[in-house]
mmCIF file of all heavy atoms in Angstrom:
data_model
loop_
_atom_site.group_PDB
_atom_site.id
_atom_site.type_symbol
_atom_site.label_atom_id
_atom_site.label_comp_id
_atom_site.label_asym_id
_atom_site.label_seq_id
_atom_site.Cartn_x
_atom_site.Cartn_y
_atom_site.Cartn_z
ATOM 1 N N LEU A 32 79.820 102.881 118.054
ATOM 2 C CA LEU A 32 80.084 102.145 119.331
ATOM 3 C C LEU A 32 79.714 103.060 120.499
ATOM 4 O O LEU A 32 79.251 102.375 121.517
ATOM 5 C CB LEU A 32 81.632 101.838 119.291
ATOM 6 C CG LEU A 32 82.058 100.769 118.380
ATOM 7 C CD1 LEU A 32 83.614 100.696 118.261
ATOM 8 C CD2 LEU A 32 81.521 99.365 118.788
ATOM 9 N N LYS A 33 80.012 104.381 120.516
ATOM 10 C CA LYS A 33 79.584 105.145 121.577
ATOM 11 C C LYS A 33 78.193 105.096 121.759
ATOM 12 O O LYS A 33 77.626 105.015 122.960
ATOM 13 C CB LYS A 33 79.993 106.645 121.337
ATOM 14 C CG LYS A 33 81.401 106.948 121.442
ATOM 15 C CD LYS A 33 81.596 108.422 121.250
ATOM 16 C CE LYS A 33 83.012 108.854 121.153
ATOM 17 N NZ LYS A 33 83.183 110.307 120.851
ATOM 18 N N ASN A 34 77.319 105.031 120.724
ATOM 19 C CA ASN A 34 75.908 105.119 120.879
ATOM 20 C C ASN A 34 75.405 103.736 121.451
ATOM 21 O O ASN A 34 74.541 103.735 122.311
ATOM 22 C CB ASN A 34 75.321 105.254 119.438
ATOM 23 C CG ASN A 34 73.812 105.334 119.492
ATOM 24 O OD1 ASN A 34 73.112 104.290 119.264
ATOM 25 N ND2 ASN A 34 73.251 106.541 119.726
ATOM 26 N N ILE A 35 76.034 102.630 121.038
ATOM 27 C CA ILE A 35 75.541 101.354 121.538
ATOM 28 C C ILE A 35 76.062 100.962 122.873
ATOM 29 O O ILE A 35 75.477 100.686 123.840
ATOM 30 C CB ILE A 35 75.839 100.172 120.462
ATOM 31 C CG1 ILE A 35 75.043 100.468 119.190
ATOM 32 C CG2 ILE A 35 75.572 98.871 121.067
ATOM 33 C CD1 ILE A 35 75.463 99.628 118.068
ATOM 34 N N ASN A 36 77.550 101.027 123.009
ATOM 35 C CA ASN A 36 78.118 100.586 124.160
ATOM 36 C C ASN A 36 77.949 101.565 125.351
ATOM 37 O O ASN A 36 77.796 101.004 126.461
ATOM 38 C CB ASN A 36 79.649 100.434 123.969
ATOM 39 C CG ASN A 36 79.980 99.204 123.137
ATOM 40 O OD1 ASN A 36 79.166 98.270 122.965
ATOM 41 N ND2 ASN A 36 81.175 99.165 122.474
ATOM 42 N N ARG A 37 77.996 102.744 125.104
ATOM 43 C CA ARG A 37 77.845 103.811 126.192
ATOM 44 C C ARG A 37 76.453 104.370 126.302
ATOM 45 O O ARG A 37 76.276 105.239 127.110
ATOM 46 C CB ARG A 37 78.891 104.937 125.990
ATOM 47 C CG ARG A 37 80.329 104.424 126.008
ATOM 48 C CD ARG A 37 81.273 105.525 125.837
ATOM 49 N NE ARG A 37 82.608 105.026 125.438
ATOM 50 C CZ ARG A 37 83.635 105.738 124.972
ATOM 51 N NH1 ARG A 37 83.347 107.054 124.665
ATOM 52 N NH2 ARG A 37 84.792 105.267 124.698
ATOM 53 N N GLN A 38 75.597 104.003 125.324
ATOM 54 C CA GLN A 38 74.257 104.496 125.287
ATOM 55 C C GLN A 38 74.341 105.990 125.194
ATOM 56 O O GLN A 38 73.450 106.691 125.807
ATOM 57 C CB GLN A 38 73.456 104.076 126.436
ATOM 58 C CG GLN A 38 73.284 102.441 126.408
ATOM 59 C CD GLN A 38 72.461 101.953 127.528
ATOM 60 O OE1 GLN A 38 72.117 102.637 128.446
ATOM 61 N NE2 GLN A 38 72.136 100.657 127.474
ATOM 62 N N LYS A 39 75.206 106.520 124.421
ATOM 63 C CA LYS A 39 75.435 107.994 124.278
ATOM 64 C C LYS A 39 74.342 108.500 123.274
ATOM 65 O O LYS A 39 74.099 107.956 122.255
ATOM 66 C CB LYS A 39 76.912 108.334 123.887
ATOM 67 C CG LYS A 39 77.084 109.769 123.718
ATOM 68 C CD LYS A 39 78.573 110.044 123.381
ATOM 69 C CE LYS A 39 78.735 111.518 123.333
ATOM 70 N NZ LYS A 39 80.152 111.923 122.752
ATOM 71 N N ASP A 40 73.764 109.718 123.669
ATOM 72 C CA ASP A 40 72.933 110.353 122.714
ATOM 73 C C ASP A 40 73.753 111.162 121.784
ATOM 74 O O ASP A 40 74.078 112.357 122.091
ATOM 75 C CB ASP A 40 71.881 111.206 123.407
ATOM 76 C CG ASP A 40 70.874 111.904 122.546
ATOM 77 O OD1 ASP A 40 70.788 111.567 121.379
ATOM 78 O OD2 ASP A 40 70.212 112.867 122.993
ATOM 79 N N ASN A 41 74.235 110.661 120.722
ATOM 80 C CA ASN A 41 75.155 111.322 119.688
ATOM 81 C C ASN A 41 74.642 111.302 118.336
ATOM 82 O O ASN A 41 75.330 111.042 117.417
ATOM 83 C CB ASN A 41 76.482 110.687 119.888
ATOM 84 C CG ASN A 41 76.506 109.188 119.395
ATOM 85 O OD1 ASN A 41 75.450 108.518 119.474
ATOM 86 N ND2 ASN A 41 77.613 108.654 119.074
ATOM 87 N N ILE A 42 73.330 111.507 118.184
ATOM 88 C CA ILE A 42 72.683 111.492 116.897
ATOM 89 C C ILE A 42 73.241 112.574 115.914
ATOM 90 O O ILE A 42 73.550 112.274 114.743
ATOM 91 C CB ILE A 42 71.094 111.787 116.977
ATOM 92 C CG1 ILE A 42 70.560 110.559 117.763
ATOM 93 C CG2 ILE A 42 70.551 111.896 115.556
ATOM 94 C CD1 ILE A 42 70.710 109.110 117.175
ATOM 95 N N ASP A 43 73.599 113.752 116.390
ATOM 96 C CA ASP A 43 74.199 114.751 115.557
ATOM 97 C C ASP A 43 75.583 114.275 115.010
ATOM 98 O O ASP A 43 75.898 114.406 113.812
ATOM 99 C CB ASP A 43 74.420 116.050 116.330
ATOM 100 C CG ASP A 43 73.192 116.764 116.554
ATOM 101 O OD1 ASP A 43 72.124 116.481 115.963
ATOM 102 O OD2 ASP A 43 73.228 117.588 117.555
ATOM 103 N N GLU A 44 76.372 113.526 115.843
ATOM 104 C CA GLU A 44 77.708 113.031 115.388
ATOM 105 C C GLU A 44 77.439 111.896 114.352
ATOM 106 O O GLU A 44 78.213 111.782 113.479
ATOM 107 C CB GLU A 44 78.479 112.558 116.602
ATOM 108 C CG GLU A 44 79.031 113.679 117.490
ATOM 109 C CD GLU A 44 78.048 114.139 118.586
ATOM 110 O OE1 GLU A 44 76.866 113.660 118.573
ATOM 111 O OE2 GLU A 44 78.432 114.975 119.418
ATOM 112 N N LEU A 45 76.384 111.064 114.636
ATOM 113 C CA LEU A 45 76.167 110.068 113.733
ATOM 114 C C LEU A 45 75.715 110.507 112.356
ATOM 115 O O LEU A 45 76.044 110.072 111.347
ATOM 116 C CB LEU A 45 75.066 109.040 114.316
ATOM 117 C CG LEU A 45 75.490 108.160 115.364
ATOM 118 C CD1 LEU A 45 74.285 107.571 116.114
ATOM 119 C CD2 LEU A 45 76.442 107.122 114.868
ATOM 120 N N VAL A 46 74.970 111.587 112.284
ATOM 121 C CA VAL A 46 74.538 112.163 111.072
ATOM 122 C C VAL A 46 75.796 112.809 110.300
ATOM 123 O O VAL A 46 75.947 112.516 109.112
ATOM 124 C CB VAL A 46 73.557 113.352 111.349
ATOM 125 C CG1 VAL A 46 73.287 114.237 110.093
ATOM 126 C CG2 VAL A 46 72.221 112.825 111.788
ATOM 127 N N GLU A 47 76.632 113.463 111.016
ATOM 128 C CA GLU A 47 77.846 114.080 110.427
ATOM 129 C C GLU A 47 78.716 113.037 109.899
ATOM 130 O O GLU A 47 79.207 113.112 108.766
ATOM 131 C CB GLU A 47 78.559 114.913 111.507
ATOM 132 C CG GLU A 47 79.804 115.502 111.046
ATOM 133 C CD GLU A 47 80.555 116.290 112.102
ATOM 134 O OE1 GLU A 47 80.016 116.663 113.092
ATOM 135 O OE2 GLU A 47 81.876 116.354 111.777
ATOM 136 N N GLU A 48 78.999 111.953 110.679
ATOM 137 C CA GLU A 48 79.970 110.880 110.226
ATOM 138 C C GLU A 48 79.309 110.116 109.105
ATOM 139 O O GLU A 48 80.051 109.631 108.157
ATOM 140 C CB GLU A 48 80.459 110.097 111.364
ATOM 141 C CG GLU A 48 81.197 110.845 112.442
ATOM 142 C CD GLU A 48 82.417 111.761 111.934
ATOM 143 O OE1 GLU A 48 82.897 111.339 110.893
ATOM 144 O OE2 GLU A 48 82.740 112.639 112.612
ATOM 145 N N THR A 49 78.055 109.822 109.149
ATOM 146 C CA THR A 49 77.448 109.139 108.030
ATOM 147 C C THR A 49 77.505 109.903 106.753
ATOM 148 O O THR A 49 77.823 109.313 105.762
ATOM 149 C CB THR A 49 75.883 108.812 108.359
ATOM 150 O OG1 THR A 49 75.845 108.037 109.554
ATOM 151 C CG2 THR A 49 75.265 108.039 107.290
ATOM 152 N N ALA A 50 77.255 111.162 106.797
ATOM 153 C CA ALA A 50 77.321 112.058 105.603
ATOM 154 C C ALA A 50 78.842 111.930 105.078
ATOM 155 O O ALA A 50 79.053 111.819 103.904
ATOM 156 C CB ALA A 50 76.988 113.448 105.897
ATOM 157 N N ASP A 51 79.733 112.153 105.969
ATOM 158 C CA ASP A 51 81.254 112.074 105.598
ATOM 159 C C ASP A 51 81.490 110.771 104.847
ATOM 160 O O ASP A 51 82.205 110.687 103.874
ATOM 161 C CB ASP A 51 82.146 112.194 106.805
ATOM 162 C CG ASP A 51 82.029 113.643 107.239
ATOM 163 O OD1 ASP A 51 81.552 114.586 106.645
ATOM 164 O OD2 ASP A 51 82.646 113.873 108.399
ATOM 165 N N VAL A 52 81.054 109.595 105.457
ATOM 166 C CA VAL A 52 81.373 108.362 104.855
ATOM 167 C C VAL A 52 80.660 108.212 103.455
ATOM 168 O O VAL A 52 81.287 107.709 102.512
ATOM 169 C CB VAL A 52 80.957 107.184 105.824
ATOM 170 C CG1 VAL A 52 80.912 105.903 105.102
ATOM 171 C CG2 VAL A 52 81.842 107.127 106.992
ATOM 172 N N GLU A 53 79.347 108.703 103.403
ATOM 173 C CA GLU A 53 78.734 108.622 102.079
ATOM 174 C C GLU A 53 79.528 109.414 101.024
ATOM 175 O O GLU A 53 79.597 108.990 99.855
ATOM 176 C CB GLU A 53 77.332 109.100 102.201
ATOM 177 C CG GLU A 53 76.448 108.080 102.988
ATOM 178 C CD GLU A 53 74.955 108.471 102.936
ATOM 179 O OE1 GLU A 53 74.621 109.505 102.432
ATOM 180 O OE2 GLU A 53 74.179 107.680 103.484
ATOM 181 N N ILE A 54 80.086 110.620 101.461
ATOM 182 C CA ILE A 54 80.778 111.395 100.450
ATOM 183 C C ILE A 54 82.031 110.618 100.052
ATOM 184 O O ILE A 54 82.511 110.546 98.888
ATOM 185 C CB ILE A 54 81.167 112.741 101.110
ATOM 186 C CG1 ILE A 54 79.879 113.550 101.173
ATOM 187 C CG2 ILE A 54 82.339 113.452 100.368
ATOM 188 C CD1 ILE A 54 80.042 114.767 102.099
ATOM 189 N N MET A 55 82.706 110.015 101.004
ATOM 190 C CA MET A 55 83.960 109.285 100.677
ATOM 191 C C MET A 55 83.722 108.060 99.986
ATOM 192 O O MET A 55 84.498 107.641 99.087
ATOM 193 C CB MET A 55 84.718 109.023 101.954
ATOM 194 C CG MET A 55 85.166 110.326 102.641
ATOM 195 S SD MET A 55 86.016 111.554 101.527
ATOM 196 C CE MET A 55 87.362 110.682 100.812
ATOM 197 N N LEU A 56 82.544 107.381 100.117
ATOM 198 C CA LEU A 56 82.199 106.189 99.268
ATOM 199 C C LEU A 56 82.080 106.626 97.805
ATOM 200 O O LEU A 56 82.444 105.758 96.929
ATOM 201 C CB LEU A 56 80.998 105.517 99.844
ATOM 202 C CG LEU A 56 81.108 104.753 101.147
ATOM 203 C CD1 LEU A 56 79.800 104.315 101.611
ATOM 204 C CD2 LEU A 56 82.074 103.613 100.958
ATOM 205 N N GLU A 57 81.534 107.717 97.629
ATOM 206 C CA GLU A 57 81.396 108.228 96.271
ATOM 207 C C GLU A 57 82.792 108.485 95.643
ATOM 208 O O GLU A 57 83.093 108.168 94.527
ATOM 209 C CB GLU A 57 80.601 109.598 96.133
ATOM 210 C CG GLU A 57 79.138 109.411 96.471
ATOM 211 C CD GLU A 57 78.424 108.528 95.525
ATOM 212 O OE1 GLU A 57 78.686 108.483 94.331
ATOM 213 O OE2 GLU A 57 77.524 107.653 95.959
#
Side-chain angles (χ1 to χ4, degrees):
L32 288 169
K33 283 181 186 177
N34 184 268
I35 294 170
N36 289 341
R37 299 181 194 161
Q38 299 180 351
K39 184 176 178 187
D40 181 15
N41 61 339
I42 297 301
D43 290 340
E44 290 84 355
L45 286 167
V46 167
E47 177 184 337
E48 298 307 337
T49 299
D51 289 346
V52 167
E53 288 184 0
I54 289 167
M55 296 315 299
L56 287 175
E57 291 300 321

